[in-house]
Amino acid sequence: MKSKKKRDYQADLEKDLLLNPEKLEKRKKAKRKRILFAISCGAVAVVTIAFTAFQAVRAAGRSSLYGRMQVVPELMPVQAQELLAGEEKQRWQEGWVKYQDGIYAYKEEILTFLVMGIDKGSDVKESSGGINGGQADALFLAVLDPGEKAIKVIGINRNTMADIDFYNEEGAYLSTASAQIAIQHGFGNGMEESCERQVKAVRRLFYNLPIHGYAAINMSAIPTMNDAVGGVEVKVLEDLTRVDKNLIKDEDVHLSGKSAFWYVKYRDTNEFASADMRLERQKQYLNGFIGAAKQAVKKDLGTALELYSAVSGQMVTDISLDEVAYLAPIVADYRFDPEGFYMMEGKTVMGEEYEEFYVDEKALYEMILDVFYEEMEDE
């Protein structure tokens, strides 16, 4: 039966070809249109499914990030010194702060991440003992502000004197004392334990500021990260030719590979306040890196996931892939400029053995209000 239908169909085609070629051509065009329509519908369906899946992943990432911290900083010490006027008492809400006649509320939609550069040159691995986790030679708070659609960064001097939790080699807690904040990461296993303790120390310094995630990246990952965004342009701030012949002071250099590593990592420990100067270089570098990363992610959102994967062996983080998927379009869309890069004010002095940086508490407090709070208008 099927063979007869085939023969009849073939005969009709031959007849149309001889007697009515225009009809045959119309039939062919109609068939091609049906095929193209089916392909287009399939492509649209695939794109729709992919887009829906991506948005679902982003939604999960957003929910996860905002679900981590449901607190506000504890700025009570200064608030307690400010008296509330009659109308201020009536509209006062928990968590608000009064400072120099202004009333401020914490921006609850803000996202804050602690980025740590760890003084290690290999893939991450759990360290033996409780005091070999590696020091956090670079510490930055990366802040995403949805209200202003802006990225802000706060540089923390690695020698900042802060309350540090000390542990012995067996991991038992000993005491809390003032020391350089960078050493806190060393009291742990070099993995999540060290990171969580470092986060705690930074939160404590910033009046228990909410921190929604962390990334501790071994310094050896710098060349990979740098080259993944196409390199970074800098005007070299100090002569570093002792470690890289390309790093001549005041030269405009496109950093790539090991040059980026030395520019971010190196300091002469025999020179007083060398950590301060390195922090200035790190600030300059991060300004360029964030700009380059924004452009790369704008061209291809997959760049963020590729970068995450490329450095995963040299990074400890509690930021998941679905959270990266949520953050990537934000990073591409939000503005970032040098005015959004904050450095902690204070003074470096020589301690008994090592340099010590003492924070200007008033300046720190005001910076927290500036970055994380908004002033409430009078009603």
Side-chain angles (χ1 to χ4, degrees), residues 66 107 109-111 144-150 326 330 334:
Y66 280 107
K107 300 177 181 180
E109 290 296 305
I110 222 165
L111 287 172
L144 303 181
D145 187 337
E148 297 183 22
K149 296 196 73 174
Y326 171 70
I330 292 176
Y334 283 17

Side-chain angles (χ1 to χ4, degrees), residues 54-304:
F54 180 69
Q55 292 303 316
V57 169
R58 289 198 70 221
R62 185 187 190 282
S63 177
S64 175
L65 285 170
Y66 280 107
R68 290 184 183 181
M69 282 287 176
Q70 302 295 335
V71 297
V72 298
E74 298 172 359
L75 301 185
M76 294 299 291
V78 176
Q79 175 194 312
Q81 299 172 19
E82 301 282 355
L83 298 177
L84 299 178
E87 68 275 7
E88 292 172 342
K89 289 181 181 179
Q90 293 177 5
R91 68 188 186 103
W92 189 261
Q93 294 184 24
E94 185 179 357
W96 283 11
V97 174
K98 182 175 181 180
Y99 183 67
Q100 295 184 349
D101 295 327
I103 292 180
Y104 301 84
Y106 176 70
K107 300 177 181 180
E108 295 184 357
E109 290 296 305
I110 222 165
L111 287 172
T112 304
F113 302 91
L114 178 62
V115 181
M116 300 165 263
I118 308 304
D119 188 16
K120 288 195 172 184
S122 60
D123 284 357
V124 295
K125 58 184 178 181
E126 188 167 344
S127 60
S128 58
I131 57 173
N132 299 310
Q135 297 189 12
D137 269 354
L139 287 165
F140 295 92
L141 285 173
V143 183
L144 303 181
D145 187 337
E148 297 183 22
K149 296 196 73 174
I151 302 170
K152 301 175 184 179
V153 178
I154 299 173
I156 303 171
N157 192 308
R158 55 102 56 216
N159 291 325
T160 299
M161 299 302 286
D163 287 339
I164 301 300
D165 293 334
F166 287 83
Y167 298 81
N168 64 18
E169 292 186 3
E170 286 70 43
Y173 170 76
L174 297 176
S175 64
T176 299
S178 182
Q180 289 88 345
I181 198 168
I183 72 171
Q184 181 66 87
H185 187 275
F187 289 99
N189 62 1
M191 304 292 285
E192 289 80 4
E193 183 179 69
S194 289
C195 292
E196 289 164 5
R197 289 173 180 173
Q198 187 69 68
V199 168
K200 180 182 177 182
V202 172
R203 286 195 65 218
R204 195 154 46 192
L205 176 67
F206 280 77
Y207 296 89
N208 284 325
L209 175 79
I211 294 179
H212 299 85
Y214 64 76
I217 306 167
N218 285 358
M219 290 293 196
S220 55
I222 292 171
T224 301
M225 296 175 63
N226 179 86
D227 295 353
V229 300
V232 174
E233 298 282 346
V234 298
K235 187 180 186 68
V236 180
L237 295 180
E238 60 179 316
D239 184 77
L240 299 174
T241 52
R242 72 196 79 176
V243 291
D244 189 311
K245 64 180 181 180
N246 298 310
L247 301 179
I248 303 168
K249 185 177 181 181
D250 294 331
E251 287 289 311
D252 292 320
V253 176
H254 184 85
L255 294 174
S256 61
K258 277 290 185 180
S259 292
F261 170 81
W262 289 119
Y263 197 72
V264 174
K265 169 72 170 62
Y266 180 77
R267 74 179 177 110
D268 184 351
T269 55
N270 294 317
E271 185 178 341
F272 180 73
S274 61
D276 298 14
M277 192 60 196
R278 181 176 65 179
L279 184 57
E280 286 294 331
R281 296 201 314 268
Q282 291 172 346
K283 171 187 174 181
Q284 178 200 38
Y285 176 83
L286 275 178
N287 270 311
F289 179 84
I290 292 173
K294 277 171 54 65
Q295 292 303 315
V297 172
K298 270 186 179 179
K299 291 179 182 177
D300 180 8
L301 286 176
T303 300

Side-chain angles (χ1 to χ4, degrees), residues 6 8 41-42 44 47 61 100 121 126 167 181 187 240 259 324 339 344 355:
K6 271 188 176 182
D8 291 346
C41 287
V44 169
V47 170
Q100 295 184 349
E126 188 167 344
Y167 298 81
I181 198 168
F187 289 99
L240 299 174
S259 292
V324 173
E339 287 72 29
M344 295 173 66
E355 294 174 15

